[in-house]
Amino acid sequence: MALDKAVALPVIIIGGGPIGIATSLLLSRAGVPCVVVERRETPSCGQSRAVTIQRDIIALYDRMGIAEEILERGSSWSLGRTYYGDEEILRLTFDRDASSVYPPFINFAQYRVEELLHDAIARQEGVRILHGASAEVVHDGAGADHAMVRVVDGSGHTRVLNASYVVAADGVGSPTRKMLGIDFHGWRTNGRFLVADFRAQLPFPTERRLWFSPPFYPEGIVLMHSLGEDVWRLDWQIPPELDVEKELTSGGVTRRIRAVLDHAQVDEVEIEILRCNGWTFQQRQASRFRQGRVFLVGDAAHVVSPFGARGMNSGMEDAENLAWKLAKVLAGTAPDRLLDTYATERESAAAHHVLVTGESMNFMTPSTPEELSERNKTLAQAAKDPAKAHLVDSGKLYEPHAYTQSPLTTASECLPTARLPRPGSMIPDFRLIHDGVPTTVRKIAAGRFTVIRAEAASPDTLRCYSVDESGVVPLFTLQVEGSSTPHPLHHPSDAAYLVRPDCYLAAVREIEAGSSDESWMDRIRAAWQQALAREPEMEART
């Protein structure tokens, strides 16, 4: 892809971390060429960062072609235990029902996800990555037909490039956000943590375990995860003044690991520390995710503590939400105001995640002695009375945020008691057969607007349609795999589901018995117009 400053590139992405690279991959798969500018020379951070991938993001990775290794080598889990001292006070089980395609959670290191994304980019045309380069937005494009970005490569050569749109994925310290004068409201949590990934052959199950003041570390919190293939992660709450590098080189980290293993009565084993670093967590959200032709995604837009796995998982949803909208606008099939709904939807999601994780961190890392005393009273109550366990907040784990109030979502016509998926939520994912080949609902629907009709009289099949200017057009029939029980889209009456390219439901329409195809198809097509921001009333709603 030639970098001609006289010709506007479709998209420039500033930042080649996981969210920036994922955005570029999704854009290129939608036919949108882009340039990624990344300071690092390497494809990954190489540090102990995000680890827990929630099932809806695993599904996204599968659609992006990078899930095979994650599913094979990652550590799946569905049980979380919380302890006060040495006593278990809370047990959270995340069921995997018969229709589930993926496990509830898989632990898999962020650095390797980044490498897999880079491998996928290498196989995909339309993406150029400028490693060892920096970028600065010179003009945000407000009132113009392009934004301007100054790029400085590793040799110091400077050029100014034009782009129809710019995506800022340049991290929590985002120079782009600062340059645009966008506030980053929030607070720094009281907790500082030391994180260590290590290899050891241990007889532990693959479950999440969190201790408040355990016997082997009474001064704080300890969290343990399996990362698969005899790799484990431990997090310790540490004093602000602790020198992490000195702790590592002096053998302090190994002694910490050994204390956990001694408590579990594990015999001497070889311990190999793979990665170790310290973190101070923040709860922040940008005051706006769009300015002119520039968009903030991932940590540049929002940052939360990792207890709940709401950081990178949410950032991936930023990428998919923005990518399909940019593709539609750049193709001329949707107005620019569709891009305003990126901010509407993802700002709402970020606010929710900041609120939830903020409550968790206030409980887990109290900021005053009085708050610590109250927290410990709650833990002691839960230890004595299991009915009090719900008062313990050990981190509420990630799930996608529904866009029920989005201007793109058509309100449901169904009765409130009807057990249909809500418009604005993700369409349930389950296994299907298409032309004899196994697939899933989301693999069929992703990347385009799709209509799925579930007929009450045919619980073993689904009918799939396209929707565009010409109307709703039949495509093919899908067989539901293992349909011994009703699938999640089944309903006593026929129903039609309008699925967005990011697998969120733009509309759910109950089809009345005896109604014509023209009737329900007209309603679906009207909802499609609204989901592309073509609805005239949207200007007032946004």
Side-chain angles (χ1 to χ4, degrees):
M1 186 188 311
L3 300 183
D4 184 350
K5 66 180 181 180
V7 178
L9 300 164
V11 178
I12 292 177
I13 299 172
I14 302 175
I19 309 307
I21 291 296
T23 304
S24 73
L25 180 58
L26 290 163
L27 283 170
S28 64
R29 288 166 66 107
V32 178
C34 52
V35 172
V36 181
V37 183
E38 167 55 36
R39 287 181 178 273
R40 289 191 318 236
E41 296 282 1
T42 58
S44 74
C45 63
Q47 291 185 329
S48 298
R49 294 187 178 178
V51 64
T52 299
I53 309 172
Q54 189 261 358
R55 63 159 51 113
D56 295 293
I57 307 305
I58 301 170
L60 171 59
Y61 288 161
D62 203 1
R63 301 194 297 275
M64 295 168 71
I66 67 166
E68 183 177 358
E69 181 177 325
I70 296 171
L71 290 165
E72 288 182 356
R73 299 180 60 188
S75 179
S76 64
W77 59 278
S78 58
L79 175 64
R81 301 177 189 266
T82 301
Y83 302 83
Y84 181 41
D86 215 12
E87 186 166 355
E88 185 175 341
I89 60 173
L90 178 65
R91 181 178 298 188
L92 299 175
T93 302
F94 306 91
D95 292 331
R96 180 174 182 174
D97 59 41
S99 66
S100 296
V101 179
Y102 308 98
F105 301 98
I106 291 181
N107 289 340
F108 192 82
Q110 172 181 324
Y111 81 89
R112 185 58 187 151
V113 173
E114 294 182 47
E115 291 171 353
L116 292 173
L117 286 167
H118 275 81
D119 291 345
I121 286 293
R123 300 188 297 269
Q124 180 75 38
E125 294 183 358
V127 179
R128 179 171 178 180
I129 303 178
L130 304 180
H131 282 292
S134 62
E136 176 186 16
V137 174
V138 178
H139 190 281
D140 65 14
D145 62 0
H146 63 270
M148 300 172 66
V149 178
R150 180 183 294 111
V151 177
V152 182
D153 64 22
S155 64
H157 177 69
T158 300
R159 54 189 158 184
V160 175
L161 301 176
N162 298 331
S164 296
Y165 296 100
V166 177
V167 179
D170 47 352
V172 63
S174 178
T176 304
R177 186 189 63 240
K178 294 174 182 177
M179 190 283 300
L180 295 175
I182 298 175
D183 292 330
F184 202 39
H185 300 297
W187 48 282
R188 185 181 295 272
T189 69
N190 188 50
R192 183 165 180 253
F193 285 79
L194 184 155
V195 185
D197 295 347
F198 64 98
R199 181 176 284 111
Q201 293 185 356
L202 303 178
F204 296 155
T206 57
E207 59 190 32
R208 177 187 192 260
R209 282 181 286 176
L210 186 143
W211 292 268
F212 289 95
S213 303
F216 53 85
Y217 194 68
E219 57 265 46
I221 293 170
V222 178
L223 175 67
M224 188 170 193
H225 270 300
S226 164
L227 304 190
E229 299 184 328
D230 292 327
V231 177
W232 305 83
R233 168 170 293 186
L234 276 165
D235 301 66
W236 296 266
Q237 185 181 5
I238 57 174
E241 66 276 8
L242 182 73
D243 185 326
V244 172
E245 184 63 28
K246 185 177 180 180
E247 184 78 356
L248 177 63
T249 57
S250 68
V253 175
T254 301
R255 288 190 292 273
R256 288 172 180 270
I257 297 171
R258 190 64 251 175
V260 176
L261 303 186
D262 287 346
H263 179 73
Q265 298 180 334
V266 175
D267 293 335
E268 285 293 330
V269 294
E270 183 178 348
I271 297 170
E272 178 189 1
I273 297 176
L274 305 174
R275 292 166 293 276
C276 182
N277 46 268
W279 287 101
T280 300
F281 305 124
Q282 301 182 62
Q283 301 286 121
R284 299 187 187 277
Q285 179 177 341
S287 57
R288 55 188 178 276
F289 287 10
R290 179 183 188 181
Q291 181 164 311
R293 292 176 171 268
V294 182
F295 302 87
L296 306 181
V297 298
D299 286 353
H302 49 83
V303 62
V304 295
S305 82
F307 294 101
R310 293 172 181 265
M312 186 164 151
N313 285 313
S314 182
M316 287 298 168
E317 289 215 74
D318 293 349
E320 189 174 28
N321 186 296
L322 181 57
W324 79 260
K325 293 172 180 176
L326 283 170
K328 293 294 183 186
V329 172
L330 286 165
T333 57
D336 180 82
R337 65 170 173 260
L338 176 64
L339 295 171
D340 291 335
T341 69
Y342 165 74
T344 303
E345 293 179 346
R346 297 312 298 164
E347 285 173 11
S348 173
H352 172 73
H353 297 314
V354 168
L355 175 64
V356 170
T357 53
E359 291 173 346
S360 295
M361 291 310 293
N362 283 334
F363 183 87
M364 296 172 70
T365 60
S367 58
T368 68
E370 293 77 18
E371 291 174 351
L372 177 61
S373 176
E374 286 300 312
R375 196 278 308 274
N376 288 344
K377 285 181 183 178
T378 300
L379 295 172
Q381 288 174 349
K384 292 179 180 178
D385 182 2
K388 303 286 187 181
H390 69 280
L391 300 175
V392 176
D393 190 339
S394 58
K396 298 179 178 68
L397 287 156
Y398 180 82
E399 57 185 16
H401 181 70
Y403 305 138
T404 54
Q405 301 302 312
S406 169
L408 303 185
T409 302
T410 299
S412 177
E413 297 173 341
C414 305
L415 295 174
T417 55
R419 293 186 176 181
L420 288 176
R422 291 184 304 162
S425 64
M426 292 196 87
I427 190 167
D429 203 15
F430 51 95
R431 299 182 188 278
L432 303 170
I433 302 294
H434 178 219
D435 287 343
V437 178
T439 186
T440 69
V441 171
R442 294 184 192 170
K443 286 182 180 178
I444 288 292
R448 60 182 176 180
F449 277 93
T450 305
V451 180
I452 295 176
R453 176 171 175 165
E455 298 177 348
S458 303
D460 297 341
T461 60
L462 297 172
R463 297 188 184 278
C464 189
Y465 303 75
S466 65
V467 56
D468 55 25
E469 301 290 355
S470 64
V472 179
V473 179
L475 294 176
F476 42 77
T477 298
L478 300 157
Q479 185 74 31
V480 178
E481 184 180 277
S483 54
S484 57
T485 58
H487 59 75
L489 301 182
H490 186 260
H491 188 255
S493 60
D494 292 2
Y497 302 86
L498 175 61
V499 190
R500 302 181 352 173
D502 57 359
C503 294
Y504 277 82
L505 288 166
V508 178
R509 288 291 185 246
E510 195 167 2
I511 303 173
E512 298 176 359
S515 64
S516 66
D517 281 350
E518 183 180 9
S519 173
W520 73 263
M521 287 180 174
D522 283 348
R523 288 182 293 149
I524 283 291
R525 190 171 181 280
W528 170 73
Q529 293 274 14
Q530 180 175 328
L532 281 173
R534 294 178 175 180
E535 180 70 22
E537 297 177 2
M538 280 200 57
E539 289 185 342
R541 294 177 66 184
T542 55

